[in-house]
Amino acid sequence: MRFRHPDGSTVHLAYCTNVHPAETLDGVLAQLRDHCEPVRKRLGRDRLGIGLWLARDAARALIADPAALRGLRAELDRRGLEVVTLNGFPYEGFGAEEVKYRVYKPDWADPERLGHTTDLARLLTSLLPDDATEGSISTLPLAWRTAYDDTRAALARDALTTLAQRLDALEELTGRSIRIGLEPEPGCTVETTADAIAPLADVGHDRIGICVDTCHLATSFEDPGTALDALAVAGIPIHKVQLSAALHAEQPRLPEVRTALAAFDEPRFLHQTRTRSAGRLHGTDDLGEALDGNALPETAPWRSHFHVPLHAAPEPPLTSTLDVLKDVLTRLVGGPAPLTRHLEVETYTWQALPDALRPRARSQLADGIAAELTLARDLLVDLGLKELP
């Protein structure tokens, strides 16, 4: 979906396909047919943006076979779909029964991460619409925090510097500019937007910036104004924003609140949980750890890294951090010029929701994704953007 900002520039809105597990090219093509095109039709649009997730095997198949890449591009066009952004964070196995810590491997100290991201950038130059010259890729925020020392930090910095040089060369070759956004996430070495400033300044190249995920920002109790102002002062570009909402518990000491939270403690993904108490951020790696014993103070609200559907907050006594998303969106695209042009709805946890909230059929999932995109569209229109055909 495209929107015209009052300054005349185009802002793109997509939804991320990592909600549909697929490791192979055949699986990706099936996603377009079974999920993406039905969402487009529900919205009554001739064109729908998707934030494509290409796992390692799918990406390698496309790199090795130019005809297959042309076929993917033709299939996108045929189904009324367009791609200006890729989700390069998960490498493989995102549809596995247990993902947890696996999603952070390989990290940016591992040459595999550089190679995969280079492949994605090359592919994106071919997948961009004919009238688009800029693409974005969101990626791992360097590494999970454990076993990340100065040596690995230096390897990661060198890898990102090499990537920036490769992206420069790619633009010279293709005329298309691909930019990378590190996506701060709780528990990683870059947990917050503030954590991103120093390593990105070390790389010192505007192709390597940040991807703001509004669920992650909210989970870490970052104030949107403070966070975004600091990035602006430091000159860190925001190449992409993932529109997502975290799980919020206002009174975690109450038994009924803990019971409600326990319904979201599922075995597939990590749900890092945070609270801010006495001026300090306290956290656990997963929701179950927070619910067991006295791991977190109970005197202040808890937030958990569980991407809840944007249009459907959990039933009381829980809620979501949709207000944080709205604040970020207002600050980034509600001003005289957009501070980012790539927006992506990223609720990948539909099949991890409690049983009563989980979609039972493809049609229900398509309905839910379309409802999320409708909410995002309405927010953009309210900010003065005009939806384009």
Side-chain angles (χ1 to χ4, degrees), residues 89 183-186 191-192 211-222 242 244-246 272 305 307 346 348:
F89 194 138
E183 180 186 331
E185 178 169 316
E191 171 157 343
T192 66
C211 168
V212 174
D213 184 302
T214 57
C215 169
H216 301 173
L217 184 139
T219 299
S220 294
F221 287 86
E222 289 195 80
Q242 287 175 327
S244 55
Q272 301 93 314
H305 173 217
H307 291 220
E346 199 218 8
Y348 60 83

Side-chain angles (χ1 to χ4, degrees), residues 260-342:
L261 283 171
F264 288 84
D265 180 25
E266 54 83 39
R268 187 171 174 186
F269 299 111
L270 275 186
H271 300 295
Q272 301 93 314
T273 302
R274 300 287 186 266
T275 185
R276 182 168 289 281
S277 178
R280 291 183 55 231
L281 192 65
H282 306 262
T284 60
D285 283 357
D286 216 344
L287 179 55
E289 298 172 35
L291 293 170
D292 289 340
N294 301 310
L296 294 180
E298 299 179 330
T299 54
W302 289 5
R303 289 178 179 172
S304 189
H305 173 217
F306 195 119
H307 291 220
V308 296
L310 302 186
H311 68 291
E315 297 252 339
L318 303 179
T319 186
S320 80
T321 60
L322 183 61
D323 284 348
V324 174
L325 181 159
K326 292 178 179 178
D327 193 352
V328 170
L329 199 59
T330 299
R331 293 171 185 275
L332 290 181
V333 301
L339 302 181
T340 189
R341 290 188 292 275
H342 291 176

Side-chain angles (χ1 to χ4, degrees), residues 107-115 117-118 142 152-167 180 203 208:
D107 63 29
W108 273 101
D110 187 328
E112 284 292 320
R113 178 62 66 172
L114 172 61
T117 309
T118 301
L142 299 183
R152 295 188 67 79
L155 290 171
R157 182 188 64 244
D158 291 347
L160 288 170
T161 300
T162 298
L163 178 62
Q165 294 166 350
R166 291 178 179 179
L167 296 178
I180 308 298
V203 174
I208 313 297

Side-chain angles (χ1 to χ4, degrees), residues 80-104:
L81 306 169
E82 68 176 13
V83 175
V84 300
T85 188
L86 299 179
N87 188 326
F89 194 138
Y91 179 71
E92 61 182 345
F94 202 61
E97 291 186 4
E98 182 177 329
V99 179
K100 299 289 185 182
Y101 295 95
R102 290 173 52 187
V103 75
Y104 306 106

Side-chain angles (χ1 to χ4, degrees), residues 17 20-34 52-76 79 120 123 127:
T17 64
H20 313 304
E23 300 288 320
T24 66
L25 179 55
D26 285 345
V28 171
L29 294 172
Q31 287 178 349
L32 306 184
R33 178 193 68 226
D34 297 338
L52 198 60
W53 174 55
L54 295 173
R56 178 198 62 179
D57 288 350
R60 288 181 178 177
L62 291 166
I63 288 290
D65 187 352
L69 179 56
R70 290 193 297 271
L72 173 58
R73 173 60 193 276
E75 189 72 358
L76 289 166
R79 299 194 181 278
L120 293 179
L123 294 172
L127 295 176

Side-chain angles (χ1 to χ4, degrees), residues 12-23:
H12 294 265
L13 172 66
Y15 92 87
C16 186
T17 64
N18 64 356
V19 65
H20 313 304
E23 300 288 320

